[in-house]
Amino acid sequence: MARKPKSTKAKPAPAAPSARPARKAIAFSVHLLTAAGAAIALFALVAAIAGEFTVMFALLGLALVIDGIDGTLARRAKVAELLPRWSGDNLDLVVDFLNYVFVPAIALASGALLPQLLALPAAAAIVISSAVYFADTRMKTPDGYFRGFPALWNIVVFYLFVIHPPPVISLVVVSIFVIVTFLPIEVAHPLRARRWARLNIALLIAWAALALTAVVHHLTPPPLVTLGLLAIGAYFLGAGLVRAPQRTA
């Protein structure tokens, strides 16, 4: 029987034995970075209870930075592919609820911003409405918008501390945002909204600089800083209103 000619095709070199464990370790480190946001929430909560609201907002700002980069790092490290046991989405929701909702609600309840008798009920309304919102599987549109107010209570409470309106006005603001959580409006995600993406990112950077200035000034920044914060906040709220809502199935 004639021998088959040997294949001249080169065989791929075997992967180094340590390559996959190393990649898994890198991927898991991204999960640890996300989970570190829970520790930041703990430190921020302690600061809020102690009345150190400047420290609290500085920590919540750090949590925002982590939340802004961990998704990109997870995609580059192929975390979902290498570590399917752990859900990055679930982890992110847990940490976001702590930093975006729970800690700000505590600060609102103890920061003398609301009428005393209604402060705790208002904080309860925040955590209940936000918990329901976080469970909504259609909270985001395919092109990067949130449906309803996206429970960014860290931002709302930050504005209330900076502006410090009368308690009744603060209560009205909180009530409006609790209601808007469930209304069919859309709010632009600063990093993922496809429309005006470059403008969104530029304004986000400007907002971060202004917010840092406010923290450095112990939440009593110069009037121009406050006006800038208000203008950028109004832009992101209004960007979704001038866009045709996406139909849902």
Side-chain angles (χ1 to χ4, degrees):
M1 181 181 291
R3 294 183 180 179
K4 295 181 180 179
K6 293 183 178 180
S7 173
T8 58
K9 186 177 181 180
K11 295 181 180 180
S18 60
R20 191 169 180 83
R23 290 178 62 195
K24 284 188 174 182
I26 293 172
F28 194 74
S29 70
V30 178
H31 277 327
L32 291 178
L33 175 65
T34 303
I40 293 174
L42 175 63
F43 301 149
L45 180 60
V46 172
I49 293 173
E52 298 288 341
F53 297 114
T54 300
V55 175
M56 182 199 78
F57 282 115
L59 289 167
L60 294 182
L62 177 59
L64 271 175
V65 172
I66 293 175
D67 188 42
I69 64 174
D70 62 353
T72 300
L73 294 175
R75 287 186 289 274
R76 290 185 177 180
K78 298 183 178 180
V79 173
E81 175 186 329
L82 294 172
L83 300 173
R85 174 180 173 182
W86 289 279
S87 170
D89 290 338
N90 290 346
L91 177 59
D92 196 55
L93 285 176
V94 170
V95 174
D96 284 354
F97 188 83
L98 292 173
N99 284 302
Y100 289 10
V101 178
F102 195 78
V103 173
I106 293 292
L108 196 64
S110 59
L113 292 177
L114 299 175
Q116 186 174 2
L117 293 178
L118 297 176
L120 193 56
I126 287 173
V127 296
I128 291 172
S129 61
S130 299
V132 174
Y133 184 82
F134 272 53
D136 187 353
T137 58
R138 298 188 300 180
M139 69 164 68
K140 296 177 183 177
T141 68
D143 57 340
Y145 286 75
F146 294 102
R147 294 187 175 100
F149 170 63
L152 296 175
W153 289 103
N154 52 339
I155 306 300
V156 173
V157 174
F158 173 72
Y159 275 95
L160 291 178
F161 269 90
V162 169
I163 301 170
H164 220 288
V168 173
I169 301 299
S170 295
L171 180 62
V172 170
V173 170
V174 170
S175 301
I176 289 173
F177 278 104
V178 167
I179 294 170
V180 172
T181 300
F182 303 105
L183 292 184
I185 67 168
E186 294 177 355
V187 178
H189 190 299
L191 294 175
R192 297 181 184 176
R194 298 173 188 171
R195 190 181 190 188
W196 305 325
R198 292 182 180 179
L199 175 60
N200 292 341
I201 293 174
L203 288 177
L204 178 62
I205 294 172
W207 186 92
L210 293 171
L212 179 60
T213 302
V215 170
V216 169
H217 283 81
H218 300 285
L219 306 178
T220 56
L224 286 179
V225 173
T226 303
L227 288 174
L229 288 169
L230 287 171
I232 296 174
Y235 164 80
F236 281 112
L237 287 175
L241 299 179
V242 298
R243 167 183 175 275
Q246 300 292 301
R247 294 183 179 180
T248 57

PDB file of all heavy atoms in Angstrom, residues 51-70:
ATOM      1  N   GLY A  51     -21.259  62.178  59.143  1.00  0.00           N
ATOM      2  CA  GLY A  51     -21.508  63.540  58.683  1.00  0.00           C
ATOM      3  C   GLY A  51     -20.384  64.116  57.848  1.00  0.00           C
ATOM      4  O   GLY A  51     -20.368  65.321  57.566  1.00  0.00           O
ATOM      5  N   GLU A  52     -19.449  63.267  57.417  1.00  0.00           N
ATOM      6  CA  GLU A  52     -18.329  63.714  56.579  1.00  0.00           C
ATOM      7  C   GLU A  52     -18.743  63.586  55.104  1.00  0.00           C
ATOM      8  O   GLU A  52     -18.260  62.708  54.374  1.00  0.00           O
ATOM      9  CB  GLU A  52     -17.085  62.876  56.872  1.00  0.00           C
ATOM     10  CG  GLU A  52     -16.583  62.976  58.295  1.00  0.00           C
ATOM     11  CD  GLU A  52     -15.946  64.333  58.573  1.00  0.00           C
ATOM     12  OE1 GLU A  52     -15.584  65.030  57.602  1.00  0.00           O
ATOM     13  OE2 GLU A  52     -15.802  64.701  59.750  1.00  0.00           O
ATOM     14  N   PHE A  53     -19.602  64.486  54.664  1.00  0.00           N
ATOM     15  CA  PHE A  53     -20.193  64.330  53.339  1.00  0.00           C
ATOM     16  C   PHE A  53     -19.210  64.659  52.217  1.00  0.00           C
ATOM     17  O   PHE A  53     -19.326  64.106  51.118  1.00  0.00           O
ATOM     18  CB  PHE A  53     -21.450  65.192  53.241  1.00  0.00           C
ATOM     19  CG  PHE A  53     -22.519  64.792  54.200  1.00  0.00           C
ATOM     20  CD1 PHE A  53     -22.901  65.638  55.239  1.00  0.00           C
ATOM     21  CD2 PHE A  53     -23.126  63.557  54.097  1.00  0.00           C
ATOM     22  CE1 PHE A  53     -23.878  65.258  56.144  1.00  0.00           C
ATOM     23  CE2 PHE A  53     -24.104  63.159  54.992  1.00  0.00           C
ATOM     24  CZ  PHE A  53     -24.482  64.012  56.025  1.00  0.00           C
ATOM     25  N   THR A  54     -18.252  65.517  52.467  1.00  0.00           N
ATOM     26  CA  THR A  54     -17.225  65.776  51.455  1.00  0.00           C
ATOM     27  C   THR A  54     -16.419  64.514  51.190  1.00  0.00           C
ATOM     28  O   THR A  54     -16.156  64.153  50.035  1.00  0.00           O
ATOM     29  CB  THR A  54     -16.298  66.914  51.900  1.00  0.00           C
ATOM     30  OG1 THR A  54     -17.059  68.103  52.086  1.00  0.00           O
ATOM     31  CG2 THR A  54     -15.225  67.161  50.854  1.00  0.00           C
ATOM     32  N   VAL A  55     -16.030  63.829  52.254  1.00  0.00           N
ATOM     33  CA  VAL A  55     -15.304  62.566  52.111  1.00  0.00           C
ATOM     34  C   VAL A  55     -16.188  61.540  51.408  1.00  0.00           C
ATOM     35  O   VAL A  55     -15.718  60.792  50.535  1.00  0.00           O
ATOM     36  CB  VAL A  55     -14.853  62.044  53.486  1.00  0.00           C
ATOM     37  CG1 VAL A  55     -14.206  60.664  53.359  1.00  0.00           C
ATOM     38  CG2 VAL A  55     -13.898  63.030  54.144  1.00  0.00           C
ATOM     39  N   MET A  56     -17.448  61.500  51.772  1.00  0.00           N
ATOM     40  CA  MET A  56     -18.372  60.552  51.151  1.00  0.00           C
ATOM     41  C   MET A  56     -18.435  60.744  49.641  1.00  0.00           C
ATOM     42  O   MET A  56     -18.325  59.782  48.867  1.00  0.00           O
ATOM     43  CB  MET A  56     -19.767  60.706  51.761  1.00  0.00           C
ATOM     44  CG  MET A  56     -20.794  59.728  51.199  1.00  0.00           C
ATOM     45  SD  MET A  56     -22.502  60.248  51.496  1.00  0.00           S
ATOM     46  CE  MET A  56     -22.677  61.523  50.221  1.00  0.00           C
ATOM     47  N   PHE A  57     -18.588  61.987  49.203  1.00  0.00           N
ATOM     48  CA  PHE A  57     -18.692  62.238  47.765  1.00  0.00           C
ATOM     49  C   PHE A  57     -17.363  61.996  47.050  1.00  0.00           C
ATOM     50  O   PHE A  57     -17.353  61.593  45.887  1.00  0.00           O
ATOM     51  CB  PHE A  57     -19.212  63.646  47.502  1.00  0.00           C
ATOM     52  CG  PHE A  57     -20.690  63.782  47.681  1.00  0.00           C
ATOM     53  CD1 PHE A  57     -21.218  64.587  48.678  1.00  0.00           C
ATOM     54  CD2 PHE A  57     -21.568  63.093  46.854  1.00  0.00           C
ATOM     55  CE1 PHE A  57     -22.590  64.707  48.844  1.00  0.00           C
ATOM     56  CE2 PHE A  57     -22.939  63.203  47.014  1.00  0.00           C
ATOM     57  CZ  PHE A  57     -23.452  64.009  48.010  1.00  0.00           C
ATOM     58  N   ALA A  58     -16.258  62.232  47.724  1.00  0.00           N
ATOM     59  CA  ALA A  58     -14.963  61.914  47.122  1.00  0.00           C
ATOM     60  C   ALA A  58     -14.858  60.409  46.873  1.00  0.00           C
ATOM     61  O   ALA A  58     -14.394  59.959  45.815  1.00  0.00           O
ATOM     62  CB  ALA A  58     -13.827  62.384  48.022  1.00  0.00           C
ATOM     63  N   LEU A  59     -15.327  59.616  47.836  1.00  0.00           N
ATOM     64  CA  LEU A  59     -15.304  58.167  47.673  1.00  0.00           C
ATOM     65  C   LEU A  59     -16.281  57.711  46.587  1.00  0.00           C
ATOM     66  O   LEU A  59     -15.960  56.825  45.779  1.00  0.00           O
ATOM     67  CB  LEU A  59     -15.637  57.498  49.007  1.00  0.00           C
ATOM     68  CG  LEU A  59     -14.557  57.610  50.080  1.00  0.00           C
ATOM     69  CD1 LEU A  59     -15.099  57.204  51.439  1.00  0.00           C
ATOM     70  CD2 LEU A  59     -13.352  56.742  49.713  1.00  0.00           C
ATOM     71  N   LEU A  60     -17.455  58.308  46.553  1.00  0.00           N
ATOM     72  CA  LEU A  60     -18.410  57.954  45.504  1.00  0.00           C
ATOM     73  C   LEU A  60     -17.879  58.342  44.128  1.00  0.00           C
ATOM     74  O   LEU A  60     -18.181  57.670  43.127  1.00  0.00           O
ATOM     75  CB  LEU A  60     -19.762  58.630  45.768  1.00  0.00           C
ATOM     76  CG  LEU A  60     -20.523  58.162  47.010  1.00  0.00           C
ATOM     77  CD1 LEU A  60     -21.865  58.882  47.109  1.00  0.00           C
ATOM     78  CD2 LEU A  60     -20.737  56.649  46.983  1.00  0.00           C
ATOM     79  N   GLY A  61     -17.107  59.420  44.066  1.00  0.00           N
ATOM     80  CA  GLY A  61     -16.472  59.788  42.805  1.00  0.00           C
ATOM     81  C   GLY A  61     -15.463  58.738  42.368  1.00  0.00           C
ATOM     82  O   GLY A  61     -15.374  58.405  41.176  1.00  0.00           O
ATOM     83  N   LEU A  62     -14.705  58.205  43.312  1.00  0.00           N
ATOM     84  CA  LEU A  62     -13.765  57.133  42.997  1.00  0.00           C
ATOM     85  C   LEU A  62     -14.504  55.902  42.487  1.00  0.00           C
ATOM     86  O   LEU A  62     -14.063  55.249  41.527  1.00  0.00           O
ATOM     87  CB  LEU A  62     -12.947  56.783  44.244  1.00  0.00           C
ATOM     88  CG  LEU A  62     -11.950  55.625  44.104  1.00  0.00           C
ATOM     89  CD1 LEU A  62     -10.925  55.910  43.007  1.00  0.00           C
ATOM     90  CD2 LEU A  62     -11.255  55.358  45.437  1.00  0.00           C
ATOM     91  N   ALA A  63     -15.652  55.612  43.101  1.00  0.00           N
ATOM     92  CA  ALA A  63     -16.462  54.484  42.635  1.00  0.00           C
ATOM     93  C   ALA A  63     -16.955  54.713  41.210  1.00  0.00           C
ATOM     94  O   ALA A  63     -17.026  53.768  40.407  1.00  0.00           O
ATOM     95  CB  ALA A  63     -17.650  54.276  43.578  1.00  0.00           C
ATOM     96  N   LEU A  64     -17.280  55.955  40.868  1.00  0.00           N
ATOM     97  CA  LEU A  64     -17.689  56.281  39.501  1.00  0.00           C
ATOM     98  C   LEU A  64     -16.563  56.021  38.507  1.00  0.00           C
ATOM     99  O   LEU A  64     -16.801  55.519  37.399  1.00  0.00           O
ATOM    100  CB  LEU A  64     -18.129  57.745  39.417  1.00  0.00           C
ATOM    101  CG  LEU A  64     -19.595  58.072  39.688  1.00  0.00           C
ATOM    102  CD1 LEU A  64     -19.802  59.585  39.667  1.00  0.00           C
ATOM    103  CD2 LEU A  64     -20.499  57.401  38.670  1.00  0.00           C
ATOM    104  N   VAL A  65     -15.343  56.358  38.897  1.00  0.00           N
ATOM    105  CA  VAL A  65     -14.198  56.130  38.014  1.00  0.00           C
ATOM    106  C   VAL A  65     -14.026  54.637  37.742  1.00  0.00           C
ATOM    107  O   VAL A  65     -13.842  54.202  36.596  1.00  0.00           O
ATOM    108  CB  VAL A  65     -12.916  56.719  38.624  1.00  0.00           C
ATOM    109  CG1 VAL A  65     -11.693  56.316  37.797  1.00  0.00           C
ATOM    110  CG2 VAL A  65     -13.010  58.237  38.708  1.00  0.00           C
ATOM    111  N   ILE A  66     -14.103  53.838  38.796  1.00  0.00           N
ATOM    112  CA  ILE A  66     -13.981  52.384  38.632  1.00  0.00           C
ATOM    113  C   ILE A  66     -15.088  51.855  37.745  1.00  0.00           C
ATOM    114  O   ILE A  66     -14.856  51.034  36.841  1.00  0.00           O
ATOM    115  CB  ILE A  66     -13.994  51.690  40.012  1.00  0.00           C
ATOM    116  CG1 ILE A  66     -12.728  52.052  40.793  1.00  0.00           C
ATOM    117  CG2 ILE A  66     -14.110  50.175  39.850  1.00  0.00           C
ATOM    118  CD1 ILE A  66     -12.708  51.504  42.206  1.00  0.00           C
ATOM    119  N   ASP A  67     -16.304  52.335  37.967  1.00  0.00           N
ATOM    120  CA  ASP A  67     -17.435  51.882  37.164  1.00  0.00           C
ATOM    121  C   ASP A  67     -17.277  52.285  35.702  1.00  0.00           C
ATOM    122  O   ASP A  67     -17.782  51.607  34.809  1.00  0.00           O
ATOM    123  CB  ASP A  67     -18.739  52.466  37.736  1.00  0.00           C
ATOM    124  CG  ASP A  67     -19.967  51.874  37.078  1.00  0.00           C
ATOM    125  OD1 ASP A  67     -19.997  50.646  36.855  1.00  0.00           O
ATOM    126  OD2 ASP A  67     -20.902  52.628  36.778  1.00  0.00           O
ATOM    127  N   GLY A  68     -16.562  53.368  35.468  1.00  0.00           N
ATOM    128  CA  GLY A  68     -16.381  53.826  34.098  1.00  0.00           C
ATOM    129  C   GLY A  68     -15.341  53.038  33.322  1.00  0.00           C
ATOM    130  O   GLY A  68     -15.369  53.028  32.087  1.00  0.00           O
ATOM    131  N   ILE A  69     -14.422  52.357  34.026  1.00  0.00           N
ATOM    132  CA  ILE A  69     -13.343  51.659  33.327  1.00  0.00           C
ATOM    133  C   ILE A  69     -13.431  50.142  33.411  1.00  0.00           C
ATOM    134  O   ILE A  69     -12.832  49.443  32.581  1.00  0.00           O
ATOM    135  CB  ILE A  69     -11.960  52.105  33.857  1.00  0.00           C
ATOM    136  CG1 ILE A  69     -11.777  51.707  35.326  1.00  0.00           C
ATOM    137  CG2 ILE A  69     -11.779  53.597  33.684  1.00  0.00           C
ATOM    138  CD1 ILE A  69     -10.389  51.990  35.867  1.00  0.00           C
ATOM    139  N   ASP A  70     -14.155  49.608  34.390  1.00  0.00           N
ATOM    140  CA  ASP A  70     -14.104  48.152  34.568  1.00  0.00           C
ATOM    141  C   ASP A  70     -14.760  47.391  33.421  1.00  0.00           C
ATOM    142  O   ASP A  70     -14.340  46.279  33.076  1.00  0.00           O
ATOM    143  CB  ASP A  70     -14.697  47.728  35.920  1.00  0.00           C
ATOM    144  CG  ASP A  70     -16.167  48.079  36.063  1.00  0.00           C
ATOM    145  OD1 ASP A  70     -16.715  48.769  35.177  1.00  0.00           O
ATOM    146  OD2 ASP A  70     -16.778  47.681  37.065  1.00  0.00           O
TER     147      ASP A  70
END
